[in-house]
Amino acid sequence: MGKLLVLGGTGDAIKFVQTLTQQCPQLDITTSLAGRTSKPKNLIGNVRIGGFGGVNGLVNYLLQNSIDYLIDITHPCAGQISHNAFLACQITKVPHLIFCRPQWHRQEGDQWIEVANLEQVPQAIPHSAKRIFITTGRQNLTPFVGLTNLWFLIRSVDLPEQTIANSKVILDRGPFSLAKEIELLKEYQIDTIVTKNSGGDATYAKFAARELQLPVIMVQRPPLPAAEIVTTLEEAIQTVLSYLGIREGDLQNHLVSLK
Ligand SMILES: NC(=O)c1ccc[n+]([C@@H]2O[C@H](COP(=O)([O-])OP(=O)(O)OC[C@H]3O[C@@H](n4cnc5c(N)ncnc54)[C@H](OP(=O)(O)O)[C@@H]3O)[C@@H](O)[C@H]2O)c1
């Protein structure tokens, strides 16, 4: 036993696979990506790319590839794949775990306007806003298409799928330093930021917004399925290892016996 499917697309998934591979090189780990980024970075081990074809497609994949364990380390805002994975694992009885990093919470000095989803963003933009910084990803620009009275700075890893009038696109991949974020906001005279509640420790525009006292439209995460959830990578690794019957102290012995 030891065939793992990791649903990835995040830096956390990469770290998880790197750490687990180091600790337990015999495990057969495959990372699955949706294929949204043209040049995914730092991936190790087996990688498969592209959708499965809904719940049924994932059920078939799990069965055909004799997957023993599925761990979902997709982005907290990727709601569809997490629900598909939950259902597919229920159907196939493949053990399933979600890693979900804790969300950010509003702190003193934050001027957050919280919305449930991207579609609600246009109504939440303050009347005084003129120059908006969008960091919600290149596939999430539809709500901004008709807003011709505003100017947008759009940051994404790859070129956006849609063209927005009155905008500039910068291609970049985080994490970003606080100093650079402040510099960027000042350079483009940004007065409002749109971001998702991704969580994690990385420095993003929301910290710079706090420094500059700018409003942030914070898009909330979709609800998670009623699955087993861990919030740290250490817990995720321990949970997988303990399911496979591998205790940390016995790691080497166990590995010898697996050979
Ligand atoms: N949403 C974000 O803000 C965000 C930010 C950073 C990274 N990402 C990453 O980008 C990917 C797509 O995000 P999304 O918001 O479009 O997700 P989503 O709405 O939950 O997923 C849409 C469809 O994309 C396919 N898919 C998603 N993740 C996959 C994976 N890891 N492996 C194989 N297929 C996958 C599935 O297609 P089928 O139904 O055909 O299987 C899924 O139904 C995710 O893997 C996520 O980790 C998302």
Side-chain angles (χ1 to χ4, degrees):
M1 184 172 284
K3 248 186 144 182
L4 253 72
L5 178 64
V6 177
L7 300 179
T10 58
D12 291 320
I14 294 170
K15 271 188 228 156
F16 173 85
V17 175
Q18 285 172 343
T19 312
L20 194 57
T21 304
Q22 251 174 5
Q23 293 195 14
C24 209
Q26 278 83 345
L27 283 179
D28 181 345
I29 308 175
T30 298
T31 301
S32 173
L33 302 177
R36 305 282 193 264
T37 310
S38 60
K39 289 182 193 133
K41 280 192 157 179
N42 303 325
L43 290 164
I44 58 164
N46 308 319
V47 178
R48 67 157 301 284
I49 297 182
F52 295 97
V55 177
N56 289 341
L58 184 50
V59 164
N60 289 338
Y61 181 91
L62 295 174
L63 296 176
Q64 282 164 9
N65 292 279
S66 308
I67 299 297
D68 296 306
Y69 202 100
L70 181 148
I71 175 157
D72 174 357
I73 317 187
T74 55
H75 191 275
C77 294
Q80 187 62 55
I81 186 69
S82 293
H83 282 272
N84 290 359
F86 174 66
L87 291 176
C89 286
Q90 284 206 317
I91 293 167
T92 54
K93 310 263 185 290
V94 169
H96 167 246
L97 182 70
I98 296 180
F99 164 82
C100 188
R101 57 195 183 201
Q103 17 190 359
W104 292 320
H105 294 286
R106 188 195 296 257
Q107 290 183 19
E108 207 184 321
D110 283 336
Q111 297 178 42
W112 287 9
I113 303 160
E114 293 180 70
V115 294
N117 51 50
L118 273 164
E119 289 64 41
Q120 291 183 5
V121 171
Q123 297 100 297
I125 295 175
H127 293 303
S128 58
K130 289 191 173 60
R131 298 174 70 83
I132 318 275
F133 183 28
I134 304 176
T135 68
T136 47
R138 71 190 182 100
Q139 283 160 331
N140 296 309
L141 297 177
T142 309
F144 306 101
V145 168
L147 306 180
T148 46
N149 56 335
L150 298 168
W151 184 86
F152 298 98
L153 179 65
I154 301 162
R155 181 167 66 198
S156 56
V157 174
D158 288 313
L159 272 177
E161 290 179 343
Q162 277 164 306
T163 312
I164 303 284
N166 309 319
S167 71
K168 178 181 169 78
V169 175
I170 45 176
L171 300 182
D172 208 350
R173 192 194 292 263
F176 308 101
S177 79
L178 180 60
K180 285 272 177 214
E181 288 294 75
I182 291 177
E183 205 180 294
L184 186 76
L185 297 180
K186 284 184 175 169
E187 182 185 347
Y188 289 98
Q189 299 171 339
I190 297 300
D191 54 44
T192 304
I193 291 152
V194 180
T195 195
K196 289 180 176 177
N197 196 331
S198 302
D201 300 330
T203 299
Y204 287 114
K206 69 175 188 76
F207 294 105
R210 190 182 297 152
E211 295 285 319
L212 298 177
Q213 300 185 335
L214 298 179
V216 175
I217 301 177
M218 184 65 75
V219 181
Q220 298 305 298
R221 301 167 171 198
L224 283 171
E228 186 180 356
I229 298 172
V230 291
T231 56
T232 66
L233 288 179
E234 291 74 23
E235 275 178 284
I237 286 172
Q238 280 317 310
T239 308
V240 172
L241 289 179
S242 93
Y243 173 76
L244 297 172
I246 306 170
R247 283 179 295 150
E248 207 169 6
D250 294 343
L251 211 49
Q252 285 313 315
N253 293 340
H254 187 92
L255 294 183
V256 169
S257 72
L258 278 176
K259 279 179 187 167

